[in-house]
Amino acid sequence: MEIQIAVAKINKYAVSESGDTLEVVERPTGGLSVVLADGQTSGRGAKAVSQLVVRKVIGLLADGVRDGAAARAASDTLFADKTGKVTCTLNIASVDLHSKTIVLTRNNPAPLFICRGEQIDAHNEDSVSLGTSRNVRPVITEIGVESGLTIVIFSDGISHAGERRGQPMNVGETIRSLIEDQDPAPQQLADALLAHAVSLDDNRPADDISVVVLKVSSRAGDEVRRMTVRLPING
């Protein structure tokens, strides 16, 4: 088997800096973690908050701290720094080669989706953003690594897409329509979800949008690990 991870991100319309921050870090016991944070509101202030959270989390994960403990520590740091006045959502998706599981850590009211073939499950348990109190705990889901598994994680820009037109995005049905008659690559799925959200906002995103797709498939290549990043530059 092999793990493929794809990301698609875009800023809020007419805002030069995204409040979403995403990083990937290797785990000391094998595997890697994808960390996505969305700072409250948008722009430079939100970016500073999400960067503070992500830096805290990836530093702890790289030291071998468990995902849930890293999330709680980041929340405590944000609460102490901002005295509870600023919040930040957090998602961690970890492929742990030691336990051969995928650990999903969520401090985000927005759900995540786990797809196995045509079965699509929304995980929308109540979840509290970081920084709201000293007692914030994440929702943690752990599943075995299995071929055919697809996980979709996103910031709330996806959830709110289309709301100002009275046509909010049905994320679950959109995912189903994309994977029902085809087997899209992770990047194709992430791009399609983001593109649909942007279209619902009349091509002027009402919020920062980030989509992460993690897919487990049968390995057809070599032993080389690869990562590709595309960063558009204006001007």
Side-chain angles (χ1 to χ4, degrees):
M1 294 184 290
E2 70 175 15
I3 307 288
Q4 298 179 29
I5 298 171
V7 176
K9 294 174 83 260
I10 196 168
N11 296 5
K12 179 179 178 179
Y13 178 72
V15 176
S16 61
E17 197 160 10
S18 171
D20 295 357
T21 297
L22 184 142
E23 296 287 353
V24 178
V25 61
E26 291 198 43
R27 300 174 68 85
T29 55
L32 52 79
S33 295
V34 182
V35 182
L36 172 63
D38 178 6
Q40 185 177 332
T41 70
S42 297
R44 183 169 298 178
K47 186 66 172 181
V49 169
S50 64
Q51 285 181 325
L52 175 123
V53 166
V54 168
R55 282 197 302 266
K56 183 70 174 180
V57 171
I58 63 173
L60 291 171
L61 294 179
D63 287 338
V65 175
R66 294 188 180 185
D67 297 37
R72 292 194 297 272
S75 183
D76 289 346
T77 297
L78 181 59
F79 182 79
D81 189 64
K82 303 296 183 181
T83 62
K85 297 177 181 178
V86 177
T87 63
C88 182
T89 66
L90 173 70
N91 287 92
I92 308 171
S94 294
V95 181
D96 190 333
L97 297 184
H98 178 71
S99 62
K100 293 183 172 54
T101 60
I102 297 173
V103 181
L104 304 171
T105 302
R106 176 172 147 259
N107 283 100
N108 190 349
L112 61 84
F113 288 82
I114 299 176
C115 314
R116 297 177 176 88
E118 295 183 357
Q119 179 183 342
I120 300 174
D121 297 319
H123 286 250
N124 54 5
E125 307 90 343
D126 288 343
S127 180
V128 179
S129 300
L130 305 185
T132 55
S133 73
R134 292 282 297 180
N135 300 305
V136 171
R137 291 182 177 274
V139 176
I140 297 178
T141 304
E142 187 169 7
I143 54 179
V145 176
E146 58 182 275
S147 186
L149 182 69
T150 300
I151 297 166
V152 181
I153 297 167
F154 46 85
S155 61
D156 63 358
I158 287 283
S159 302
H160 298 319
E163 285 186 348
R164 63 187 177 191
R165 296 172 52 192
Q167 298 178 337
M169 184 172 178
N170 186 324
V171 184
E173 287 305 310
T174 303
I175 293 172
R176 185 178 301 280
S177 69
L178 291 169
I179 68 175
E180 197 166 42
D181 299 322
Q182 52 187 318
D183 185 24
Q187 194 63 63
Q188 291 175 317
L189 181 54
D191 288 346
L193 286 170
L194 185 140
H196 184 52
V198 171
S199 70
L200 289 175
D201 281 336
D202 297 319
N203 296 318
R204 297 181 174 185
D207 196 0
D208 305 312
I209 301 174
S210 298
V211 184
V212 179
V213 176
L214 186 154
K215 184 174 183 177
V216 186
S217 58
S218 299
R219 190 174 68 184
D222 50 32
E223 298 285 341
V224 178
R225 300 183 182 188
R226 296 177 174 89
M227 180 181 295
T228 302
V229 178
R230 293 182 61 186
L231 175 64
I233 299 176
N234 296 323

